[in-house]
Each structure stands twice: as structure tokens, then as C-alpha cells.
Amino acid sequence: MTSAGDVERIEIDLFLEAIARRWGYDLRDYSRPSIERRVQAALAASGAANLGALQHEVLHDRDAFADVLDAITVRVTDLFRDPEVYLALRTKVVPLLRTYALPKIWHAGCASGEEAYSTAILIHEEGLDERTQIYGTDVSQRAIAQAKDGVYPARHVTTFTKNHRAAGATSDLGTWLTAAYDRIAMREALRKRLVFFQHDLVGDQVFGEMHVVFCRNVLIYFGQELRRRVLDKLAASLVPGGFLVLGTSEELPGSTCDERFKPFARAERIYRYEP
């Protein structure tokens, strides 16, 4: 006899299958414990009576699907989050970026854009802004819309400023922000240096000739096989000698295919691509 737990797993499988077939977003190979938690969180936030009812809404309503996608794809970010990573970028990676005529940086899974703006500020402080292009992508259309706007709650300014200083700041963070009421906005001079667009790291093709790829706190939600597939895509996007930056709690899966990525700043999870 099928247990209640088995029935729940079947419901989640059908729910993820429905999303993949209806909207083209394949969440089926995400880490199982993680996806089960996130689906249950999406169900609770939706107010639907059960997962079957939510599945019906998702199949017929794009906004309902967008709500579910936002609930499932975890987005935790700040300006200069984990400042030690940006300090390592400044002191160890930027000197090598100077050797390239036109450095290109990609934030894959950029969420609402704060970390991409952090990189843009750092690159400007280091005098490379005129010849560096920065891209930010995310599976969530809503996240990308916020990233393009560059508007964030003002209550985070103290944390942003502290992080910026710890990342080796050479300018005042206020140079890059305008404040009004309870919001802050990134200045136009900075926003025009970035290109944001929607992109599904699992299902879409990647682009090549990147010198740095940030993929922070994304792989941690994938199952082992999906991690390897995505790493193959990230490798294909990097120039030889380029850099992959992961989240500080993430590790490469540890298979022989990952010998392409050599630790460069191990504590900060920065790897160098050496095919």
C-alpha cells in the first residue's frame, strides 16, 4: 500500500512535471530535500487548499506561476554580501583582469541584483569600469525587474555600508546611492554599466568568453547530477584562466570533471578555470 509520504512525493513530482511542461522551467533535478521544503513553502504562501489546487492555478495563471517560482527559487543577497569574497576579488582577481582588453563578468542567478551592483562599484573603484561589461541573469522575471530598477529598502544601508568597507572600499557608498523616504536607488551612472535579463541556468544556453562567473548560493539547491550539468555550462562560458566564484558554503561536487576548476582563493570559494 502506498504511504502518505509516498503520495506527497508523487504530488510534488506531478507538480514539478506540470511546471516543466507548461512553462519550460525544469525544477525536477533540484536537491530533493530542498525542493520539497520550497514547494511546501510555496503552497503555504499561496493559500491554496492543497498542492493539486495550486497546480491547477499554476497551469492556468502566469502570475500564480510567478508567485510559485519566487517562492521556490531562494534569493538571499545584499550589497557586498560576504565582503571577504569581494576583498579577494579586488586584491587577487582584479590585477589579472587588468591584463584583458575587455573583461566580461556574469552574475548567474543574480536575484534582485545587489551583488552585481557590488561588482560594478568595485570595478569602478579599481578604474576598470570603462572597459568592463557586467551581466546579471536570473530565472525570475520579477527579480530581474527589481535588479533593473536598482531600488532597495533603506533599512539595509547600515549593513551595505559595513560590507562595502570590509571589502576594501576606496569610495563612499553614498556616492552610488540616492535615498528617498524608505528606499534607496542605485545611481543611473552605475545602472547603465550593467545588463540584466531573464535566463534559466538549467534549461537555457549559456554565453562564452566570460572572464569571471559568479554563481553564488545556486548550486547548493541542485541535485548532484544537475550540479555537474550546470558546471559544464559554466565551464563552457569561461575563457581559459577565467574565474568561477561560488557561495562560501558551497563546494564543487568533487568528481573528476571538476579538475578543470583549480582553487585560487580557497576560503572565498574562488576557482580558476584550467581546461
Side-chain angles (χ1 to χ4, degrees), residues 143-159:
I144 289 300
Q146 184 179 0
K148 288 179 178 179
D149 289 341
V151 178
Y152 306 107
R155 66 179 181 272
H156 298 312
V157 168
T158 300
T159 299

Side-chain angles (χ1 to χ4, degrees), residues 29-274:
D29 288 331
Y30 276 47
S31 165
R32 191 66 191 197
S34 175
I35 199 66
E36 288 181 356
R37 288 193 303 271
R38 301 315 303 171
V39 167
Q40 291 302 327
L43 175 59
S46 72
N50 52 53
L51 202 53
L54 181 57
Q55 179 175 307
H56 179 82
E57 291 181 21
V58 165
L59 285 172
H60 294 278
D61 186 338
R62 179 180 288 274
D63 287 337
F65 162 67
D67 289 340
V68 166
L69 188 64
D70 283 350
I72 288 178
T73 53
V74 181
R75 296 197 303 273
V76 179
T77 186
D78 274 324
L79 278 179
F80 293 95
R81 186 184 185 207
D82 301 321
E84 66 276 10
V85 174
Y86 288 91
L87 183 60
L89 181 71
R90 186 189 300 273
T91 59
K92 299 179 180 180
V93 176
V94 165
L96 296 170
L97 291 184
R98 295 186 192 282
T99 66
Y100 296 105
L102 298 169
K104 293 196 293 183
I105 300 173
W106 175 27
H107 281 261
C110 71
S112 45
E114 289 95 319
E115 294 186 51
Y117 283 113
S118 303
T119 301
I121 291 170
L122 187 152
I123 288 296
H124 192 285
E125 289 176 336
E126 295 299 319
L128 290 176
D129 57 302
E130 292 292 339
R131 55 192 180 96
T132 301
Q133 182 63 64
I134 302 173
Y135 303 90
T137 67
D138 197 89
V139 68
S140 169
Q141 192 171 33
R142 291 178 180 174
I144 289 300
Q146 184 179 0
K148 288 179 178 179
D149 289 341
V151 178
Y152 306 107
R155 66 179 181 272
H156 298 312
V157 168
T158 300
T159 299
F160 291 169
T161 301
K162 180 180 178 181
N163 288 349
H164 181 221
R165 289 172 180 164
T170 62
S171 66
D172 188 318
L173 187 61
T175 304
W176 309 105
L177 309 175
T178 58
Y181 303 102
D182 60 346
R183 313 291 284 175
I184 58 170
M186 310 309 294
R187 291 189 182 275
E188 171 65 19
L190 189 65
R191 287 193 290 115
K192 71 181 182 181
R193 294 291 179 188
L194 294 96
V195 177
F196 290 106
F197 55 95
Q198 188 179 20
H199 176 269
D200 179 5
L201 190 57
V202 174
D204 293 341
Q205 294 298 311
V206 295
F207 15 83
E209 302 300 311
M210 295 292 158
H211 299 92
V212 182
V213 173
F214 287 80
C215 189
R216 305 189 68 223
N217 306 302
V218 175
L219 297 181
I220 196 171
Y221 298 108
F222 294 166
Q224 194 80 348
E225 182 55 36
L226 181 55
R227 289 183 199 179
R228 292 192 180 100
R229 294 199 336 249
V230 169
L231 278 170
D232 283 341
K233 288 186 175 186
L234 299 179
S237 74
L238 281 164
V239 300
F243 298 91
L244 173 65
V245 186
L246 299 181
T248 54
S249 62
E250 293 177 308
E251 295 279 1
L252 292 176
S255 66
T256 55
C257 72
D258 300 316
E259 292 177 358
R260 300 166 295 183
F261 296 101
K262 309 296 185 184
F264 181 78
R266 187 181 293 274
E268 292 81 16
R269 300 296 194 269
I270 299 176
Y271 298 85
R272 196 160 196 191
Y273 177 53
E274 298 178 6

